[in-house]
């Protein structure tokens, strides 16, 4: 179950089993009727990012790129959620290579920021070249390989009860990256990505 708003404050809240249903459907499409399928019941969470899967009518609504050139991607091999991801390119590596939103999480509790990322050439994504930005550089707690070139980058941070630039930093390379599923949630570890169009979720207001 969930709530979220449209521009500028789309906030998605996950109900139980959102990601489990998605994974079950994927697994069912490639297994026989007799094959065992594992179902994981995900805990409720709230994604406080706005336009977290780039599905707003203006794909990059609420996002700001610095040094990075951000473009809309529709190639499905570089998309995990919905029908759009962000293609990020930079010819000048540096700490200022950012793709962020201004987010106020509303308190100073521990939050976890995460995003999914894939290099165009299929190469490895490293914590030295794909980082979290939360008012400054945050070295990821982990960069987890998910297969097929996709990684999930995440780190826990202390929340700031004021508008704070939040998102992706690509400081150390000129590779083309694709980013999808950006999340900030009041958790100490990342949970499955949620947004209002997922089964079991809604936007808190009009998308």
């Amino acid at each position: 179950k969930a709530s979220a708003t449209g521009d500028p404050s789309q906030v998605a809240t996950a109900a139980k089993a959102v990601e489990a249903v998605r994974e079950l459907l994927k697994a069912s499409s490639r297994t026989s009727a007799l094959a065992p399928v594992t179902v994981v019941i995900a805990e409720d969470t709230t994604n406080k990012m706005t336009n977290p899967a780039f599905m707003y009518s203006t794909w990059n609504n609420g996002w700001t790129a610095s040094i990075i050139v951000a473009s809309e991607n529709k190639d499905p091999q570089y998309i995990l959620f919905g029908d759009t991801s962000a293609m990020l390119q930079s010819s000048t590596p540096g700490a200022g290579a950012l793709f962020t939103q201004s987010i106020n999480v509303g308190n100073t509790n521990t939050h976890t920021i995460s995003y999914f990322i894939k290099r165009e050439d299929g190469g490895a994504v490293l914590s030295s070249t794909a980082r979290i930005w939360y008012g400054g550089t945050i070295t990821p707690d982990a960069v987890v390989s998910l297969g097929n070139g996709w990684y999930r980058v995440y780190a826990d941070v202390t929340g700031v009860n004021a508008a704070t630039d939040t998102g992706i930093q690509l400081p150390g390379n000129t590779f083309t990256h694709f980013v999808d599923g950006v999340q900030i949630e009041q958790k100490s570890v990342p949970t499955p990505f949620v947004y209002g169009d997922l089964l079991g979720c809604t936007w808190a207001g009009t998308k």
Side-chain angles (χ1 to χ4, degrees):
K1 183 164 189 152
S3 60
T5 68
D7 178 26
S9 56
Q10 297 177 353
V11 179
T13 303
K16 292 183 279 186
V18 171
E19 188 70 9
V21 170
R22 178 174 176 271
E23 293 302 318
L24 177 59
L25 292 173
K26 286 169 58 181
S28 298
S29 69
R30 60 178 183 266
T31 59
S32 71
L34 299 179
V37 175
T38 299
V39 176
V40 177
I41 305 301
E43 61 184 287
D44 292 357
T45 195
T46 298
N47 185 357
K48 298 181 181 182
M49 296 298 290
T50 67
N51 190 22
F54 313 107
M55 296 178 65
Y56 197 78
S57 55
T58 302
W59 77 273
N60 59 347
N61 183 75
W63 288 91
T64 299
S66 175
I67 297 180
I68 287 173
V69 175
S71 305
E72 180 180 22
N73 170 64
K74 291 291 189 180
D75 185 338
Q77 68 176 315
Y78 301 113
I79 296 171
L80 284 180
F81 306 99
D83 61 1
T84 304
S85 66
M87 181 172 70
L88 306 181
Q89 299 169 293
S90 176
S91 60
T92 309
L98 306 174
F99 191 53
T100 60
Q101 291 188 321
S102 181
I103 301 295
N104 184 348
V105 298
N107 58 56
T108 58
N109 297 333
T110 297
H111 284 69
T112 293
I113 302 171
S114 62
Y115 61 87
F116 297 84
I117 187 168
K118 182 177 183 177
R119 269 174 45 175
E120 185 176 39
D121 63 1
V125 174
L126 306 175
S127 61
S128 60
T129 57
R131 294 180 174 175
I132 303 290
W133 185 266
Y134 191 58
T137 300
I138 306 293
T139 300
D141 295 338
V143 178
V144 181
S145 176
L146 305 175
N148 196 31
W150 283 101
Y151 292 76
R152 194 178 194 187
V153 179
Y154 67 86
D156 65 275
V157 299
T158 299
V160 177
N161 190 12
T164 303
D165 287 343
T166 306
I168 297 98
Q169 182 191 40
L170 301 176
N173 61 74
T174 58
F175 298 115
T176 296
H177 292 82
F178 296 85
V179 168
D180 208 352
V182 187
Q183 183 153 286
I184 182 167
E185 55 187 321
Q186 190 173 309
K187 303 281 186 180
S188 59
V189 294
T191 66
F193 172 70
V194 294
Y195 64 105
D197 288 348
L198 281 175
L199 182 64
C201 296
T202 61
W203 298 105
T206 303
K207 181 180 175 185

